[in-house]
Amino acid sequence: MEKKYNAVITALGMYVPDKIMDNAYFEKIVDTTDEWIRTRTGIKERRLLEQGATSDLAAMAAEDLLKTYSINPEDIDVIIIATVTPDMFFPATACLVQEKIGAKKAWGFDLSAACSGFLFAFQTGASLVESGTYKKVLVIGADKMSSITDYTDRNNCILFGDAGAAVLLEPTEDKTLGLQDSILRTDGSGKEALYMKGGGSLNPPTHETVDKKMHFIYQDGKAVFKVAVKGMADVSYELMIKNKLTGDDIAYLVPHQANLRIIDATADRMGISRDKVMINIDKYGNTTAATIPSCLVEYYRAGKLKKGDKIILAAFGAGYTWGASYIVWSMD
Ligand code: UT7
């Protein structure tokens, strides 16, 4: 059945903590160099939330959005938080954010899809809007990655940072704008390449799980790198073919920011030049669910996006989870 509405982004906001951890800082705490980190990952700095939790990152991003666009929090219908670092198992971070921002009429939930979290939450939020049932859906990607990072493990600690970013989705009858199409995938066979081993119902927390450092990120970087390069590039290319798009048609690729080399490989496969690839990995590292929306916020605020621009969002992460979404920018 032909849908009546498309979901469009009508407002944006973000929050990064002030505290900066640059590469020189990591040279002091683990056996690494600025040169290795920059050339292997593209990262120069990341942010650290010293006090507070993911709900604070998410609420600050939401408040930035609400203030910038003078939106009454009581008009928000739904809050979806993409995160792998919820404040606690339950209640959902969405409940904590609902209270913090005063969204008294909203319901909401958390969505766990790691680095693809924002893409999955965006599709979910858009579907709620397209159904015609909900008019204002807040989709937030937020992660306090520092809370699950082992700062003695040089393989992982240099990669991650803390951030939150939010978009508001609303309906439009103009089908040329907003979310046009998505291809989203999961493959649980990747579960042991990137995961947190302890803390869940499989390995509930014990002294032993703490001693074995099972509450931190574990990643087989090399294995993930290989599948991420292929997965993100393949799905983005498939989405382009499906929608009859060439590299020239696309104003921006907005890739998940895990590694500049993965981003470059995806752009090459899509035939997209580097000036049309949104990048903020150098400033924030991998902020998991916040990478894609924070890029959108920063490039929009820098005046680099205009109404009608064709944009591909693409991500790859733990699970495995991956996908790409095609949107047409809707804000002046
Ligand atoms: O966001 C979710 C999805 N995640 C990703 O997409 C991440 C995918 N993986 C990656 O981005 C990369 O694999 C990493 C950045 C994690 C690692 O880069 P790499 O080029 O794959 O390095 P490697 O793991 O193959 O390690 C190469 C060498 C090793 O030394 P040996 O065995 O060759 O002697 C590592 O021990 O680099 C060493 N190494 C380091 N050296 C200096 C690993 N980490 C560091 C470090 N500083 N921080």
Side-chain angles (χ1 to χ4, degrees), residues 30-33 36-37 40-41 115 153-156 158-160 194 219-226 228 256-259 261-262 286 288 316-318:
V30 287
D31 179 16
T32 191
T33 62
W36 190 97
I37 300 173
R40 296 293 183 119
T41 70
C115 296
D153 173 8
R154 72 172 183 173
N155 292 292
N156 278 310
I158 52 109
L159 298 172
F160 297 99
L194 178 49
Q219 173 169 234
D220 178 348
K222 219 175 258 190
V224 178
F225 187 92
K226 275 190 209 141
H256 169 55
Q257 314 276 307
N259 188 314
R261 291 181 291 145
I262 299 175
N286 182 349
T288 304
F316 190 96

Side-chain angles (χ1 to χ4, degrees), residues 131-200:
S131 74
T133 312
Y134 299 102
K135 296 209 160 33
K136 281 189 165 45
V137 176
L138 201 50
V139 177
I140 306 177
D143 271 298
K144 186 185 175 188
M145 295 308 289
S146 61
S147 67
I148 56 168
T149 298
D150 176 1
Y151 285 97
T152 65
D153 173 8
R154 72 172 183 173
N155 292 292
N156 278 310
C157 70
I158 52 109
L159 298 172
F160 297 99
D162 302 336
V167 302
L168 185 68
L169 293 176
E170 293 189 83
T172 176
E173 289 189 29
D174 183 346
K175 299 296 179 47
T176 65
L177 297 175
L179 179 62
Q180 304 291 314
D181 197 10
S182 290
I183 302 175
L184 304 174
R185 302 261 191 265
T186 57
D187 176 2
S189 69
K191 60 189 176 298
E192 284 170 3
L194 178 49
Y195 67 137
M196 198 169 96
K197 300 179 185 181

